[in-house]
Amino acid sequence: MSSDKSIQREESASFNEHSLSYIRQAAEYGLYEIRGMGAKRRVPSFDDLIFLSASASRYPLEGYREKCESKTVLGTRYAKQPIELEIPITIAGMSFGSLSANVKEALGRAATQMGTSTTTGDGGMTPEERESSQTLVYQCLPSRYGFNPNDLRKADAIEMVLGQGAKPGGGGMLLGQKVSPRVAQMRTLPEGIDQRSACRHPDWTGPDDLKIKIEELREITDWKIPVYVKMGATRVREDVKLAVKAGTDVVVIDGMQGGTAATQQVFIEHTGIPTLAALPLAVEALSDMNVLGEVQLIISGGIRTGADVAKALALGADAVSIGQGVLVALGCNHHAYQRADGEEVDVTADYAKLGTAPGYCHHCHTGQCPVGITTQDPALEPRLIPEVGAKRLKNYLQVLNMELTTLARACGKSNVHHLEKEDLAALTVEAAAMAKVPLAGTSWIPGAGSV
């Protein structure tokens, strides 16, 4: 029998403080949690891979005198006008509604300055985004909110969205506090009412219908611009093969680390597979269909650094797409926003009002973003100045590409697209099995044969 002094406080692994808090909240309110951003759990990632850079058996390139190309072409299969980018780093679809008009303009400005593309997202195309973006990808989502054939003809590519990494099998959400008069008008919705997007397109039930829809979009645009198909990473092999059969020019696979403006937390943490696992499966599917190099592959979901980009290309991606990293570059989760004169204004108190703190905020769905990014509030939106945001984002993209080319040179490559699996090794058994590269110090690929 224990005395009060000897009471043991051993936390249960299954019913830890996090689980207890979840159960209590569910019991008190009878509602599941909705939030923004991406998965918070630790999963195998590009951090678990390392490069086998050059020494004696491989010669590195000299950084100041020998060039390393990063130009990227997307949509070469059927489009009359494939997209030509200066870097293989694109900006993912994030809607006006989720983001402010100022942010959409900043994305376009930065992408144009770096010679890459940005993407519309749900809810249609804003004039600010089209005017600031040299290369703009127009998304067609299951909701069809804001979908306009006239805007479609102004685009440089089309992205058919079947799913998203943060919520594969689920539709998007835009809570009423973000449905401003302008957002409501663009989406043909009532102001201030929660909007939940459809989880599947209304005019098809399978890949044969997808083929018909892709052909319709090609006819609308006179077969000029590429058509992408974007999917959340789940049954990757089968999904990629069906997209190829339906006639896509580019496949976009979004891993479970991908972000969102708002969805159920149970989706964010418990659906999809990691980006690291999805990428090799997509490459294998393209190889099985004999379209490697003909159909390009874009990978997204948790891409943060130039090293992540380089590893993605080495595993077979033609380009990457980033969202959360872009928002952080603009100032997401920073303790202050920046004025035009460079002065920073501390907004820690505004985070506290949301019940959070800088670095921990996932309250994109509330529309009360302290730094003016994920908001439609007229008092908050001006905190993100397009010129300021564009400069920060351009710097970020520039660093990513510099890191990418630095690693490629170190591996003896004169083109970033020459990076290959042979340049990589894994630091964990899990990463080796998922990426299908040897465990460091061995020739062993788990599941692929003997050591």
Side-chain angles (χ1 to χ4, degrees):
M1 183 174 178
S2 302
S3 66
D4 288 345
K5 292 182 179 179
S6 62
I7 292 176
Q8 294 185 0
R9 297 187 177 180
E10 182 179 355
E11 184 178 48
S12 167
S14 298
F15 289 85
N16 55 23
E17 184 55 38
H18 176 76
S19 297
L20 296 176
S21 175
Y22 157 76
I23 293 170
R24 288 167 185 149
Q25 180 172 312
E28 183 172 354
Y29 299 107
L31 298 169
Y32 50 62
E33 183 178 351
I34 294 172
R35 68 170 176 85
M37 301 300 280
K40 297 188 176 183
R41 64 162 63 203
R42 169 76 172 91
V43 297
S45 71
F46 292 122
D47 286 343
D48 298 312
L49 302 180
I50 49 91
F51 276 103
L52 304 174
S53 48
S55 51
S57 56
R58 290 272 181 102
Y59 291 103
L61 298 188
E62 211 290 319
Y64 294 99
R65 292 178 297 181
E66 296 178 290
K67 288 185 177 181
C68 181
E69 292 291 336
S70 61
K71 288 187 177 181
T72 302
V73 181
L74 302 173
T76 59
R77 189 185 192 191
Y78 295 125
K80 296 177 184 176
Q81 299 172 354
I83 284 178
E84 296 185 8
L85 307 176
E86 293 299 318
I87 61 174
I89 306 160
T90 67
I91 297 176
M94 295 177 281
S95 73
F96 168 64
S98 166
L99 306 180
S100 72
N102 281 358
V103 171
K104 294 298 280 182
E105 181 180 346
L107 300 185
R109 286 176 179 233
T112 297
Q113 291 169 18
M114 287 300 298
T116 191
S117 65
T118 188
T119 313
T120 59
D122 208 351
M125 179 192 293
T126 65
E128 296 96 328
E129 185 173 30
R130 178 61 279 185
E131 290 167 12
S132 63
S133 303
Q134 179 179 335
T135 305
L136 182 61
V137 181
Y138 189 83
Q139 281 193 334
C140 176
L141 294 102
S143 74
R144 306 289 167 82
Y145 289 140
F147 187 78
N148 185 327
N150 292 324
D151 287 339
L152 182 68
R153 295 186 185 99
K154 299 175 187 174
D156 301 290
I158 307 163
E159 185 169 88
M160 295 295 304
V161 180
L162 307 189
Q164 188 176 333
K167 50 193 175 192
M173 289 183 173
L174 191 67
L175 300 192
Q177 53 265 44
K178 297 181 78 171
V179 183
S180 67
R182 185 181 178 189
V183 171
Q185 182 182 27
M186 287 182 63
R187 300 190 183 211
T188 319
L189 291 168
E191 297 175 26
I193 302 299
D194 291 352
Q195 169 253 300
R196 184 182 297 228
S197 298
C199 63
R200 68 185 189 205
H201 286 264
D203 49 0
W204 76 65
T205 56
D208 290 337
D209 295 327
L210 173 60
K211 179 179 176 62
I212 292 170
K213 179 55 61 178
I214 289 176
E215 289 179 353
E216 286 178 358
L217 295 174
R218 290 198 190 280
E219 288 175 8
I220 291 173
T221 57
D222 193 29
W223 288 74
K224 289 181 180 178
I225 62 177
V227 176
Y228 303 3
V229 172
K230 178 178 180 179
M231 299 169 283
T234 53
R235 295 173 173 84
V236 176
R237 277 198 189 94
E238 295 82 0
D239 291 345
V240 169
K241 289 180 180 181
L242 289 172
V244 170
K245 185 176 184 295
T248 189
D249 293 299
V250 179
V251 172
V252 184
I253 298 295
D254 194 16
M256 70 168 289
Q257 299 102 302
T260 179
T263 196
Q264 301 96 316
Q265 177 158 290
V266 70
F267 268 134
I268 297 174
E269 298 290 354
H270 298 283
T271 61
I273 63 174
T275 305
L276 180 65
L279 175 49
L281 295 176
V283 174
E284 287 175 6
L286 293 175
S287 179
D288 289 347
M289 299 289 284
N290 294 315
V291 291
L292 267 180
E294 179 183 353
V295 173
Q296 283 79 48
L297 174 61
I298 299 175
I299 194 74
S300 62
I303 306 290
R304 308 146 301 169
T305 67
D308 288 344
V309 179
K311 292 169 187 177
L313 267 56
L315 288 175
D318 295 284
V320 304
S321 191
I322 55 176
Q324 289 186 88
V326 163
L327 300 186
V328 173
L330 292 175
C332 170
N333 266 290
H334 193 52
H335 74 276
Y337 68 88
Q338 192 174 29
R339 289 178 172 158
D341 60 5
E343 180 186 354
E344 288 197 339
V345 180
D346 191 281
V347 289
T348 304
D350 290 344
Y351 284 105
K353 291 176 185 176
L354 292 171
T356 187
Y360 300 92
C361 185
H362 55 234
H363 296 65
C364 316
H365 59 291
T366 67
Q368 295 301 304
C369 177
V371 291
I373 296 174
T374 57
T375 184
Q376 301 299 318
D377 189 320
L380 296 173
E381 183 174 355
R383 294 182 178 182
L384 192 287
I385 300 169
E387 295 86 350
V388 173
K391 180 180 179 181
R392 293 180 59 86
L393 179 53
K394 182 202 169 198
N395 287 343
Y396 173 55
L397 294 174
Q398 185 170 286
V399 169
L400 293 189
N401 200 58
M402 289 169 66
E403 291 178 338
L404 165 62
T405 54
T406 295
L407 286 169
R409 284 192 185 94
C411 292
K413 314 292 184 178
S414 60
N415 190 309
V416 298
H417 297 289
H418 294 167
L419 288 164
E420 56 191 328
K421 269 189 180 184
E422 189 178 291
D423 298 316
L424 296 171
L427 297 177
T428 67
V429 172
E430 291 85 358
M434 290 182 182
K436 302 182 185 346
V437 300
L439 188 66
T442 78
S443 60
W444 179 48
I445 301 174
S450 60
V451 178

